[in-house]
Amino acid sequence: MGLFDSIKNFLWKEGGKMGIGKSLVNITDDERINIDPSEYERINKDLIYYSGLPSDVKYHTSDGKETIRKQIGVNMTEKVARRLASIVFNEKCDISFENTALSNFINVVLESNNFKNEFEMRLEQAIACGGIAVRPYVDGNQIKLAWVRADQFYPLQSNTNNISEAALASITTQIENDTVIYYTMLEFHQWKDGQYTITNELYRSDSKNAVGTSVPLDSLDKYKDVEPEVTLDGDQMIKPLFCYMRMPGANNISLESPLGLGIVDNNKHTLDNINNTNDAFMWEIKVGKRRIVVPASMLKTDKAHKLMFDTSDGLYEGLNTENGDVIQDLTKDIRTQEYIDAMNFWLKQLESGAGLADGTFSFDPKTGIQTATAVVSENSMTYQTRSSILTNVSAFINDLCTAILELAQSSQLFDGQQALFSLPAGVDMYNLKMNVHYDDGVFVDKDAQAKQDMLAVSSGIMPKVQFLMRNYGLSQNDAQDWVNQVQAETPEPAPSAETGMFGGD
């Protein structure tokens, strides 16, 4: 760092002490943020569980000394979140719109951002911590997506069903004068006098436990071209540019909070018990290894008595005793079945608490191992949980597509003041007529479904368009185009001939 930068940082630091530069300890200290700080304490605990960091276990050795070791746990938070995320959403999802031009544009943007693969990973984090957000932004003449974790998203104005204003946080670390410096970028999204305003503020701190003092945006090269405030005014601005998805269900911990709960929040005790049970079992294996007590004299060696056993396995332990012939096996049976029963009990508790079907992780000796079909059948708890999450996922994707269109039509953000996309005639920003086709293959036998639907069409109780939408993931317009094309290519049948599925009336 040069002399000028050192002087500038000193002045900002001293200015903060004098009240010139705004200072924050926590992001929630900002008066614009309207959320209980305890919500972020909860989310940070969720992240600890999700990371699987082992906790410390205190115990006393045989000589009475207190010792600390790392717990040998099982990261069930990550396993449950990954399992649910893969069932809810994957790359086979198809997103389309009735308007072909709109559908093509949105899918190009989503594919260029690897949305489907990225969203499955982000959904896993949302399931663990209660929510996730994304914000589209302009990079050159392209629209990119920036993902925001639950601990980086701060509502400003909201109710329990909708968040209209928010602050988004991101932290950058940098070494300055052999000291780690933490820069926190706060991006405030607000509606002011009917116009959408984004305010950017940068804070600097030499402690990771404090946000720090406000500094100019050009203090970091990555923000040197960022404007302190940007206002987007236009008829296309109907929703916030950020999109937040919360997990379904009420927040029973903070009833007025708009933030969702993750699988950790109401299952902490169960997750702890699973870790404790696994740790106790692994520790019993460790300390319960085979040991044989022999007279200490039998372990001594000399030229006449050579070593006849492996000293590295710790099998034999010498004991000074008056009875020189004592040889005793101290090994005890490990309580394997008891631990399996205990672990299965807690796994069933977790399955119930996380909304998963019995047998997803546990094993019932009476019924045996559950098949994948049984675990995720349409009547299972897993299927019902997935359906609830998909309702919020669909709303989230619709909001994201709306935000992408809002940006694409803001000509001021692009080179030459030329909008990236113009809304086609007849398309309503308030109702984009989006169709999302999720891959239900894990729940449904697609071949059996197609055969049943074919019989329904032949019987005249299912429209052909609905058949194509349901089995091929087409939008209503595309399905109608298929039907029209097939009918146009089908020759007029003879009076006695049977009409095909798509032919005739």
Side-chain angles (χ1 to χ4, degrees), residues 378 443-464 466-468 470-472 501:
E378 291 192 15
F443 294 96
V444 179
D445 185 333
K446 291 186 176 182
D447 291 337
Q449 174 183 284
K451 290 179 180 177
Q452 291 176 355
D453 289 352
M454 183 75 76
L455 291 174
V457 171
S458 300
S459 302
I461 59 176
M462 174 182 280
K464 303 179 180 97
Q466 184 64 35
F467 173 88
L468 293 172
R470 176 176 162 87
N471 290 278
Y472 290 89
M501 171 182 161

Side-chain angles (χ1 to χ4, degrees), residues 286-352:
K286 180 180 177 67
V287 301
K289 66 179 182 178
R290 191 178 185 192
R291 287 182 173 87
I292 299 177
V293 172
V294 299
S297 59
M298 296 181 63
L299 301 180
K300 295 180 181 180
T301 60
D302 52 34
K303 292 183 178 180
H305 302 85
K306 294 183 179 181
L307 184 67
M308 301 297 291
F309 60 90
D310 186 358
T311 59
S312 64
D313 59 16
L315 173 61
Y316 299 102
E317 293 187 9
L319 180 65
N320 292 318
T321 175
E322 295 180 357
N323 186 353
D325 296 329
V326 172
I327 298 177
Q328 184 176 357
D329 190 342
L330 300 180
T331 309
K332 299 294 182 182
D333 291 337
I334 296 173
R335 299 168 295 167
T336 303
Q337 189 58 51
E338 287 82 354
Y339 280 111
I340 290 176
D341 293 342
M343 183 64 81
N344 268 322
F345 175 81
W346 295 121
L347 287 175
K348 286 183 178 295
Q349 292 285 316
L350 181 61
E351 289 166 349
S352 175

